[in-house]
Amino acid sequence: MAKLFINENKQAGHINAEIYGHFAEHLGRCIYGGIYVGEDKAIPNTNGMRNDVIAALKEINVPVLRWPGGCFADEYHWKDGIGPKEKRKKMINTHWGGVVEDNSFGTHEFMELCKQLGCKTYVNGNLGSGTVQEMSEWVEYMTFDGVSPMADLRKENGQEEAWKVDYFGVGNENWGCGGNMRPEYYADEYRRYQTYVRNYKAGDEIKKICCGANSGDYDWTDKVLKVTHENTPPHLHGFMDGLSLHYYTVPNNWTTKGSATDFTKEMWYQTLNKALFMETLVSRHEAIMDQYDPERKIAMVVDEWGCWYDVEPGTNPGFLYQQNTMRDALVAGITLNIFNKHCNRVKMANLAQMVNVLQSVILTEGEKMILTPTYHIFHMYRCHQEATLLESYIKTTEIGIEEEYKVPNLHESVSKDKDGVIHITLNNLSLTESYDIETILTEKNIIDVKADILTNDMAAHNTFSNPNQVKIQPFTEIEITGREITFQIPPCSVMKISIH
Ligand code: AHR
């Protein structure tokens, strides 16, 4: 019997809804075709946004959306994407597939998308190849309500009122595709560019995100924080509200990543082991951040995470289109549990990417749409948004086939929502074993329990001909005795248990 202890008296932090955020780049069929279809009458849409995709995304309460990239962001010149569509520049998307980017989706369309989703806006600026003036004017265009050249231009383009930009990224991956910079150089550039990201409206301050590390590059975190804090008054906390972190779960290696759907049991454990590395990354970057920012004014923003496999055979290699199986569901379940447990520092995270690219929640083909196993995890875990993290502990054992890639058998996080309902999200990483679980609360006498489960074979996935192969099922075999519940979790599964 595996015991799961929950201490309702130990409120361990607030889980920001933005931990459940998303990322949409001008990459492959993410924006074009996946979200935005313009005036295409064949696919039902509202102001160009696919109705089916918007409705599905609203179900998972998308809290925030990051756009326009990614690597695309540091080559994006926002003025190309405003004004009459027929006059917008057509250009090559040099990063992603070498296809024509017609700029029909630009700032106005992004704001419309966020309005339809009811989510916060996270715009990523161009520091790599853009100027300070260009970045500053973009912010003025989007957020200034008075009389100014950029506010006037916005109005000429049909948008009278200023929008709210909740988060603004000052460059993306500037250690790589965003300019191949050294940390000291980027940090100085960050200081300069962010100066002109003005706040035009009191109460609507933009949260500025500084480009953080690639995976385990702790030196980047240390040096960027050192330079941004040098001679900076402490109340400005290095001129930033957030520092990003990017980490992708790549089963094999960057040259031969491995197939999304055709993998062995060894690769199952290898992938989960690599996903669990997020715990080490967050803890170690957190420790460095604690040195410069002990009061935790700077959020850790994991604004790109997810599984990265070889592209689906026969698709454009530059489009990064991949399928999504129960393995992705477990990676998402584990990763979101880790973020929940670190919610005192991790304030936002953005899955890469929303539709048709990498670990997507939705895949489309023409007018058809399917929900992936990862979508179902976001659906189950939405209960944690804006909830209070509770202290919890589960006794685990190590499992796995190869010594190098051992993983714990079980993985959990627990929160309490505003109505006092306690939500457990529990993952069984084993491909073969089910486990008896005894959950013990310190105080509460349990009145009722509701549970859902996502379970299937390791490579099970949804297709356009079989869209419901993997779906959430109700789970009723739970016994309640006073402060305890007992149940059995099947292999290869993710459960949500809600205790009333
Ligand atoms: O998500 C795909 C790419 O991965 C992004 O454009 C980039 O930031 C990262 O390297």
Side-chain angles (χ1 to χ4, degrees):
M1 182 79 82
K3 288 191 195 299
L4 164 59
F5 297 99
I6 301 171
N7 182 357
E8 308 112 277
N9 294 324
K10 187 72 202 290
Q11 308 204 339
H14 175 79
I15 301 173
N16 249 22
E18 281 94 319
I19 284 181
Y20 293 83
H22 292 262
F23 167 41
E25 180 166 10
H26 288 236
L27 196 178
R29 296 184 301 110
C30 182
I31 301 274
Y32 297 114
I35 297 171
Y36 180 74
V37 287
E39 301 309 310
D40 184 349
K41 298 278 186 302
I43 300 177
N45 67 82
T46 305
N47 298 329
M49 313 298 158
R50 290 180 72 128
N51 292 344
D52 53 353
V53 168
I54 296 289
L57 291 171
K58 285 178 85 154
E59 277 295 310
I60 56 172
N61 295 346
V62 170
V64 62
L65 182 59
R66 175 175 183 245
W67 169 84
C71 294
F72 184 83
D74 277 287
E75 269 191 295
Y76 184 59
H77 300 286
W78 67 273
K79 284 185 184 162
D80 295 342
I82 56 168
K85 293 205 177 174
E86 60 286 1
K87 290 203 181 137
R88 295 189 193 175
K89 257 190 210 164
K90 289 192 177 42
M91 53 207 259
I92 302 295
N93 187 334
T94 47
H95 260 291
W96 304 119
V99 290
V100 174
E101 161 67 59
D102 69 3
N103 279 301
S104 55
F105 189 97
T107 306
H108 292 247
E109 290 73 22
F110 172 67
M111 293 297 177
E112 170 66 20
L113 171 60
C114 292
K115 186 171 136 201
Q116 290 191 25
L117 291 173
C119 73
K120 290 190 179 171
T121 55
Y122 177 2
V123 176
N124 210 114
N126 175 352
L127 178 141
S129 71
T131 63
V132 173
Q133 181 180 359
E134 183 183 8
M135 188 180 283
S136 158
E137 285 185 343
W138 197 8
V139 172
E140 180 187 326
Y141 185 87
M142 292 187 283
T143 63
F144 185 55
D145 243 342
V147 177
S148 84
M150 290 304 115
D152 291 350
L153 184 58
R154 183 190 70 236
K155 289 173 194 170
E156 267 170 43
N157 288 330
Q159 178 65 28
E160 195 60 33
E161 269 180 42
W163 294 290
K164 180 156 166 38
V165 173
D166 296 286
Y167 300 93
F168 192 87
V170 184
N172 166 73
E173 295 195 352
N174 302 92
W175 36 261
C177 66
N180 291 307
M181 299 173 190
R182 293 171 304 109
E184 298 88 345
Y185 179 78
Y186 168 73
D188 273 333
E189 288 291 89
Y190 175 81
R191 292 178 72 121
R192 186 163 73 107
Y193 275 70
Q194 70 76 35
T195 307
Y196 306 95
V197 174
R198 303 281 189 206
N199 277 314
Y200 290 103
K201 194 168 169 194
D204 269 358
E205 281 81 12
I206 299 170
K207 290 197 162 74
K208 297 174 197 171
I209 313 296
C210 175
C211 169
N214 175 22
S215 183
D217 186 353
Y218 305 110
D219 184 56
W220 178 276
T221 301
D222 186 47
K223 287 189 172 138
V224 165
L225 287 174
K226 183 169 187 288
V227 174
T228 51
H229 281 74
E230 241 160 38
N231 301 323
T232 306
H235 73 278
L236 296 178
H237 34 91
F239 308 103
M240 68 184 81
D241 300 288
L243 181 66
S244 68
L245 168 65
H246 286 185
Y247 176 62
Y248 285 98
T249 299
V250 179
N252 203 19
N253 59 52
W254 280 101
T255 323
T256 318
K257 302 179 193 76
S259 156
T261 50
D262 184 11
F263 54 89
T264 61
K265 289 183 177 161
E266 282 81 359
M267 286 179 83
W268 164 272
Y269 290 111
Q270 181 173 336
T271 310
L272 298 191
N273 173 286
K274 291 190 174 186
L276 284 157
F277 184 57
M278 185 65 92
E279 171 68 42
T280 306
L281 283 175
V282 170
S283 303
R284 290 193 61 183
H285 285 293
E286 207 169 56
I288 299 166
M289 291 174 81
D290 285 347
Q291 288 169 28
Y292 293 93
D293 175 40
E295 287 178 29
R296 299 192 169 162
K297 300 284 186 203
I298 304 174
M300 188 184 294
V301 173
V302 189
D303 58 15
E304 287 187 31
W305 70 271
C307 290
W308 195 323
Y309 308 119
D310 295 334
V311 297
E312 287 304 306
T315 63
N316 185 331
F319 279 16
L320 310 185
Y321 176 72
Q322 64 189 40
Q323 252 293 358
N324 195 295
T325 67
M326 276 304 295
R327 178 171 60 162
D328 296 81
L330 269 288
V331 169
I334 291 167
T335 307
L336 293 167
N337 278 342
I338 293 171
F339 294 155
N340 284 347
K341 291 213 170 196
H342 286 271
C343 66
N344 288 318
R345 183 62 89 172
V346 178
K347 298 290 176 189
M348 175 160 51
N350 307 72
L351 178 70
Q353 298 192 3
M354 200 174 223
V355 184
N356 291 334
V357 171
L358 301 178
Q359 191 174 348
S360 301
V361 289
I362 289 175
L363 302 178
T364 67
E365 202 177 79
E367 80 287 0
K368 292 192 210 142
M369 174 194 88
I370 54 174
L371 309 175
T372 66
T374 301
Y375 175 93
H376 294 305
I377 297 302
F378 273 76
H379 197 276
M380 287 169 122
Y381 277 60
R382 66 191 174 159
C383 57
H384 291 305
Q385 293 189 20
E386 300 296 336
T388 302
L389 180 74
L390 295 183
E391 189 177 74
S392 62
Y393 170 77
I394 190 157
K395 197 161 182 334
T396 60
T397 51
E398 266 202 342
I399 56 165
I401 298 166
E402 294 160 303
E403 208 39 54
E404 210 186 331
Y405 296 116
K406 293 282 183 200
V407 297
N409 57 341
L410 299 162
H411 197 272
E412 104 302 341
S413 72
V414 183
S415 73
K416 186 179 190 167
D417 71 19
K418 61 175 184 358
D419 301 318
V421 181
I422 294 173
H423 301 284
I424 305 164
T425 44
L426 179 64
N427 296 245
N428 182 355
L429 285 66
S430 170
L431 283 174
T432 50
E433 304 300 313
S434 52
Y435 298 99
D436 290 325
I437 311 284
E438 186 181 18
T439 301
I440 305 161
L441 302 187
T442 46
E443 226 156 75
K444 188 178 163 88
N445 254 327
I446 300 166
I447 300 165
D448 192 19
V449 173
K450 290 211 166 35
D452 287 324
I453 188 161
L454 193 75
T455 188
N456 215 308
D457 298 336
M458 66 176 187
H461 56 281
N462 295 331
T463 61
F464 293 95
S465 52
N466 188 4
N468 290 314
Q469 171 73 19
V470 182
K471 63 174 188 205
I472 298 173
Q473 312 269 10
F475 184 94
T476 49
E477 282 144 50
I478 300 187
E479 272 185 33
I480 309 176
T481 359
R483 290 183 290 109
E484 295 180 14
I485 55 171
T486 46
F487 57 93
Q488 190 177 70
I489 186 167
C492 185
S493 61
V494 181
M495 287 184 71
K496 179 186 82 165
I497 304 120
S498 302
I499 302 177
H500 297 256

